[in-house]
């Protein structure tokens, strides 16, 4: 008897088929791809059995090359060899030029504002460069797994904002990769350690890679991963450690003149090699030009201690944001190749009061965690649940009257998240509403970052304050924002997917957070003033409209003059005073002056409504 194999609608006709899913760590200096086979996560290697793919793309006369064997090209053909492109993702030309001393490329800007790099193969964007790296990793994975990929989880720094995440997703799509999810790198590291060891409690993930530093405080409990707080610096990593060592070498060599791009790359390569060799040696020989010398641990420590201290300051702030003391942490996970440095491990252990976890190769831990997550999301473990709770780095809000920010989703809110709030119109007969989406911690729009603008049109003309407009902010699991505005009585709706052309770096986010603290008291006073100014404008407009309609009919000349005098005083105080309390008193005084006028208008309205009717018509009604 023949046996028929039956599958559920929408599922594979081979119900036990293992889907090909990978985790990709798209790094600043090196990138990796990993997968789960036979229940074990493993990093996939190339034909030379190398796991790390250098994040280098060379645009040569014979075409595009990626990865290994291009370090020399970074010296001899610096302008056409793109390294550390992750620092450019989602950033504008102006952002990148702020660090122009380290940029050896000819830069331009796209119509959308994202930085572009001039190469002999034409102008390329960071998205296109990253796509070349991702394409190379996908080819490696397909060769190892024997077929096309069903999906990938790609990791990003926890501090990547919406534009930087979108740029990463675009790069993956350009490389032909189906993105299952963008996953924060610290969360991926927590998956790698948490699931293997079964740890529960609070952990710190200290991620010091080639170009970025991230610190995250997470709570692990029964396979629930919740990011309590994040911090870091997008312009701090192993590259900066190399630069510090290179500066020392240059001083020793007596090189005062400006170096060429080729000399700069050669010097940085020498510094990197010396720093890495000191991980396993007590002293190393090095040279630059005609100079020859030695570098030992003590001198290396003097070069890099200030940089390590910067990471610890960010760590201290993240702990404060999470409301966690060092003593409450059950583990500290080390991520990133720069954490191999003995000095980094020594100072991290001293700060966190416990030795950090280094059981998993710090270069591979993020890719391994991403692979585990990809294996679940692609459906290879349908009975296994994993909940990942990341947070947004900065508050998301909307501009209200007076240039004020009404925060709808606060920073460090767990994502995915949906928040909604009702707003109303400011003027009578208003048929459209401008929605301005902003990001930041300050109270005024001018001090925050503008993300997007759109209009809700087709509103029914109503009295001011009568319309009910529901604004909904939705941040998905990848940290991408959608905003919807809807008028509740008519169902008129408008929406926008927020895709800014370039985004905030960690340094700018940190600055915005510092500013919100430094200017907190000033912001409170300014907000109170703006609120009173809006109230004054509303009262002035309402009374002026009422006077124009009924003033001469219902008021004597003396009463009219008294209210007009009150209006003039409030208008003068509104324009000159910076004291919100004085303005509030003036608003209250005018409101009292106009009380009798308001009562007369109400009486007149009631009288007009009753005209032509008998009282007994209303007495019989229930």
């Amino acid at each position: 008897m023949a046996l028929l194999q039956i599958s559920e609608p929408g599922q594979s006709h081979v119900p036990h088929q293992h889907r090909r899913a990978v985790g990709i760590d798209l790094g600043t200096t090196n990138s990796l791809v990993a997968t789960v086979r036979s229940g074990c996560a493993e990093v996939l290697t190339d034909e030379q059995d190398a796991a790390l793919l250098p994040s280098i793309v060379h645009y040569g006369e014979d075409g595009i090359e990626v990865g290994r064997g291009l370090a020399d090209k970074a010296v001899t053909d610096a302008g056409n060899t793109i390294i550390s492109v992750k620092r450019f993702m989602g950033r504008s030309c102006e952002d990148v030029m702020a660090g122009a001393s380290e940029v050896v490329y000819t830069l331009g800007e796209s119509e959308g504002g994202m930085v572009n790099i001039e190469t002999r193969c034409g102008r390329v964007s960071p998205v296109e460069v990253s796509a070349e790296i991702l394409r190379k990793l996908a080819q490696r994975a397909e060769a190892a797994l024997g077929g096309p990929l069903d999906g990938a989880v790609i990791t990003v720094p926890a501090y990547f904002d919406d534009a930087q995440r979108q740029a990463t997703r675009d790069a993956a799509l350009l490389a032909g990769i189906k993105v299952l999810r963008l996953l924060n790198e610290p969360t991926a590291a927590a998956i790698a350690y948490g699931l293997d060891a079964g740890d529960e409690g609070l952990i710190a993930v200290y991620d010091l890679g080639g170009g970025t530093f991230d610190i995250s405080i997470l709570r692990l409990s029964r396979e629930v991963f919740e990011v309590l707080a994040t911090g870091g610096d997008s312009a701090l990593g192993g590259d900066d450690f190399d630069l510090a060592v290179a500066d020392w070498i240059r001083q020793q060599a007596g090189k005062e003149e400006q170096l060429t791009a080729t000399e700069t790359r050669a010097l940085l390569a020498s510094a990197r090699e010396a720093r890495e060799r000191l991980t396993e040696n007590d002293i190393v020989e090095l040279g630059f030009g005609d100079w020859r010398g030695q570098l030992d641990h003590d001198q290396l420590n003097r070069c890099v201690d200030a940089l390590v201290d910067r990471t610890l300051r960010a760590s201290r702030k993240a702990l404060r944001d999470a409301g966690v003391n060092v003593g409450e942490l059950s583990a500290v996970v080390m991520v990133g190749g720069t954490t191999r440095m003995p000095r980094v491990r020594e100072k991290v252990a001293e700060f966190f009061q416990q030795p950090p976890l280094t059981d998993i190769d710090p270069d591979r831990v993020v890719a391994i965690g991403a692979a585990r997550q990809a294996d679940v999301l692609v459906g290879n473990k349908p009975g296994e649940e994993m909940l990942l709770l990341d947070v947004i780095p900065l508050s998301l809000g909307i501009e209200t009257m007076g240039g004020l920010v009404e925060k709808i989703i606060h920073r460090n809110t767990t994502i995915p998240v949906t928040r909604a709030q009702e707003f109303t119109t400011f003027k009578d007969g208003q048929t459209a509403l401008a929605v301005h989406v902003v990001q930041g911690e300050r109270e005024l729009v001018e001090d925050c970052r503008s993300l997007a603008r759109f209009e809700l049109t087709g509103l029914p003309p109503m009295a001011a304050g009568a319309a009910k407009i529901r604004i909904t902010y939705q941040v998905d699991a990848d940290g991408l924002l959608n905003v919807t505005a809807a008028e509740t009585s008519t169902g008129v709706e408008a929406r926008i997917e927020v895709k800014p052309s370039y985004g905030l770096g960690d340094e700018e986010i940190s600055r915005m957070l510092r500013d919100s603290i430094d200017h907190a008291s000033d912001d409170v006073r300014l907000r109170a003033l703006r609120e009173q100014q809006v109230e004054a404008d509303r009262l002035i407009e309402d009374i002026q409209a009422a006077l124009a309609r009924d003033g001469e009919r219902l008021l004597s000349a003396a009463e009219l003059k008294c209210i007009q005098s009150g209006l003039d005083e409030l208008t003068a105080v509104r324009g000159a005073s910076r004291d919100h309390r004085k303005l509030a008193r003036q608003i209250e005084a005018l409101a009292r002056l106009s009380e009798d006028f308001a009562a007369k208008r109400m009486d007149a309205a009631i009288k007009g409504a009753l005209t032509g009717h008998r009282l007994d018509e209303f007495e019989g009604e229930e």
Side-chain angles (χ1 to χ4, degrees):
M1 179 185 292
L3 297 177
L4 298 178
Q5 184 164 294
I6 301 174
S7 61
E8 292 293 331
Q11 291 187 356
S12 169
H13 66 279
V14 185
H16 301 295
Q17 183 181 43
H18 186 86
R19 294 176 177 84
R20 303 179 187 92
V22 295
I24 295 177
D25 177 6
L26 183 60
T28 305
T29 306
N30 295 294
S31 297
L32 303 91
V33 59
T35 193
V36 174
R37 290 196 282 200
S38 302
C40 295
E42 60 180 276
V43 172
L44 302 176
T45 59
D46 63 12
E47 55 274 10
Q48 280 83 41
D49 200 33
L52 298 181
L53 176 73
S55 300
I56 305 174
V57 179
H58 176 244
Y59 292 86
E61 295 177 355
D62 299 325
I64 302 172
E65 301 175 275
V66 181
R68 293 171 56 81
L70 298 177
D72 290 342
K73 296 282 179 66
V75 176
T76 59
D77 192 14
N80 294 291
T81 307
I82 315 302
I83 64 174
S84 298
V85 73
K86 188 173 178 177
R87 287 189 172 188
F88 296 170
M89 291 290 278
R91 299 182 70 191
S92 70
C93 189
E94 183 180 352
D95 294 334
V96 175
M97 289 305 294
S101 60
E102 302 172 39
V103 177
V104 297
Y105 312 115
T106 301
L107 302 178
E109 193 165 84
S110 68
E111 291 182 4
M114 185 181 289
V115 66
N116 279 333
I117 304 167
E118 294 285 353
T119 72
R120 65 165 53 89
C121 296
R123 180 178 288 189
V124 296
S125 71
V127 169
E128 293 171 290
V129 179
S130 296
E132 296 293 346
I133 299 170
L134 289 169
R135 190 176 290 114
K136 188 80 169 180
L137 292 171
Q139 291 169 355
R140 178 189 296 184
E142 289 171 353
L145 299 178
L149 299 179
D150 294 300
V153 169
I154 301 177
T155 62
V156 293
Y159 249 45
F160 258 26
D161 78 337
D162 187 85
Q164 292 163 308
R165 290 169 189 267
Q166 188 62 50
T168 304
R169 179 181 285 275
D170 290 344
L173 295 177
L174 187 60
I177 299 171
K178 178 184 177 182
V179 181
L180 298 171
R181 181 174 177 185
L182 299 181
L183 181 64
N184 281 352
E185 291 164 2
T187 307
I191 293 171
Y193 271 100
L195 293 182
D196 287 356
D199 289 341
E200 294 189 3
L202 296 167
I203 70 167
V205 180
Y206 180 100
D207 184 353
L208 185 58
T212 59
F213 169 67
D214 285 299
I215 177 70
S216 291
I217 311 301
L218 300 90
R219 177 183 289 119
L220 278 69
S221 178
R222 298 182 181 181
E223 297 187 3
V224 175
F225 292 77
E226 181 179 4
V227 182
L228 301 181
T230 63
D233 191 334
S234 65
L236 177 61
D239 292 349
D240 300 281
F241 284 63
D242 297 336
L243 191 61
V245 175
D247 285 342
W248 177 80
I249 294 174
R250 184 174 176 174
Q251 290 172 9
Q252 299 302 304
K255 282 277 190 179
E256 300 295 337
E257 67 276 10
Q258 181 71 30
L259 301 181
T260 65
T262 299
E263 289 175 326
T264 298
R265 285 286 173 81
L267 178 57
L268 288 172
S270 177
R272 180 179 298 111
E273 181 184 3
R275 178 175 63 82
E276 292 174 351
R277 286 170 56 200
L278 275 175
T279 300
E280 298 179 355
N281 297 278
D282 294 329
I283 193 168
V284 295
E285 304 286 337
L286 71 167
F288 181 62
D290 297 330
W291 176 82
R292 295 292 180 272
Q294 294 180 329
L295 180 65
D296 59 19
H297 282 284
D298 289 340
Q299 182 55 54
L300 177 62
N301 293 347
R302 285 191 288 272
C303 289
V304 304
D305 272 355
L307 297 173
V308 179
D309 288 342
R310 278 173 60 186
T311 71
L312 299 181
R313 285 196 295 273
S315 301
R316 186 176 293 108
K317 185 179 184 307
L319 287 168
R320 284 199 307 268
D321 288 346
V324 172
N325 296 320
V326 168
E328 297 178 70
L329 296 174
S330 57
V332 179
V333 176
M334 298 292 267
V335 180
T338 309
T339 63
R340 286 194 178 88
M341 290 181 62
R343 186 59 165 179
V344 172
R345 295 187 176 185
E346 175 188 331
K347 298 201 78 168
V348 167
E350 179 183 343
F351 176 82
F352 287 104
Q353 301 174 12
Q354 60 180 294
L357 294 177
T358 56
D359 298 344
I360 303 176
D361 185 333
D363 275 326
R364 303 185 179 202
V365 63
V366 168
I368 287 174
R372 292 188 182 280
Q373 172 69 351
D375 199 46
V376 174
L377 292 179
V378 83
N380 287 332
K381 295 184 178 180
E384 183 173 328
E385 294 184 359
M386 181 186 298
L387 183 59
L388 305 171
L389 303 175
D390 294 335
V391 298
I392 60 171
L394 285 173
S395 299
L396 297 168
I398 187 171
E399 179 178 357
T400 59
M401 286 302 299
L404 296 174
V405 176
E406 181 69 24
K407 294 183 179 67
I408 294 180
I409 302 180
H410 290 266
R411 68 180 292 260
N412 280 335
T413 296
T414 300
I415 60 173
V417 62
T418 299
R419 292 277 192 276
Q421 196 164 325
E422 283 194 353
F423 296 87
T424 190
T425 50
F426 182 74
K427 292 186 176 182
D428 291 341
Q430 189 171 332
T431 59
L433 179 78
V435 179
H436 184 195
V437 183
V438 296
Q439 182 181 40
E441 303 308 309
R442 302 290 295 278
E443 297 295 330
L444 303 184
V445 169
E446 63 197 51
D447 296 320
C448 293
R449 182 196 180 212
S450 174
L451 287 183
R453 296 175 186 266
F454 67 102
E455 282 193 356
L456 176 64
T457 58
L459 298 178
M462 302 182 189
K468 291 184 178 180
I469 298 158
R470 189 172 182 82
I471 306 292
T472 303
Y473 280 33
Q474 182 180 39
V475 182
D476 66 17
D478 294 327
L480 303 178
L481 172 65
N482 284 274
V483 180
T484 304
E487 203 285 312
T488 56
S489 65
T490 62
V492 174
E493 183 178 286
R495 64 175 64 238
I496 188 171
E497 182 176 351
V498 179
K499 288 185 178 181
S501 56
Y502 56 88
L504 300 175
D506 297 357
E507 188 173 337
E508 189 171 359
I509 291 175
S510 298
R511 177 189 60 75
M512 293 174 76
L513 293 177
R514 286 195 304 271
D515 287 349
S516 71
I517 295 171
D518 295 342
H519 299 284
S521 58
D522 292 338
D523 283 353
V524 169
R525 286 194 295 271
L526 277 173
R527 183 179 185 91
L529 177 63
R530 289 287 177 90
E531 288 174 342
Q532 293 302 325
Q533 287 174 337
V534 170
E535 184 60 31
D537 292 341
R538 188 190 302 274
L539 183 59
I540 290 169
E541 186 173 331
D542 289 347
I543 292 179
Q544 285 176 338
L547 288 175
R549 189 178 301 117
D550 302 316
E552 293 184 357
R553 182 169 63 89
L554 298 177
L555 297 175
S556 67
E559 290 173 327
L560 191 58
K561 182 178 180 181
C562 183
I563 292 178
Q564 188 60 55
S565 176
L567 271 173
D568 293 341
E569 288 181 18
L570 178 56
T571 302
V573 173
R574 162 65 177 86
S577 178
R578 306 297 294 173
D579 185 345
H580 67 89
R581 289 164 296 193
K582 182 177 179 181
L583 185 54
R585 289 193 295 269
Q586 201 64 46
I587 291 171
E588 186 179 352
L590 179 57
R592 285 197 302 268
L593 276 176
S594 60
E595 281 177 355
D596 288 343
F597 179 37
K600 289 180 179 181
R601 293 189 75 219
M602 185 175 294
D603 290 344
I606 294 173
K607 184 177 179 180
L610 294 176
T611 300
H613 297 278
R614 299 191 309 274
L615 185 59
D616 57 8
E617 292 179 32
F618 299 95
E619 288 178 343
E621 294 183 356
E622 294 183 0

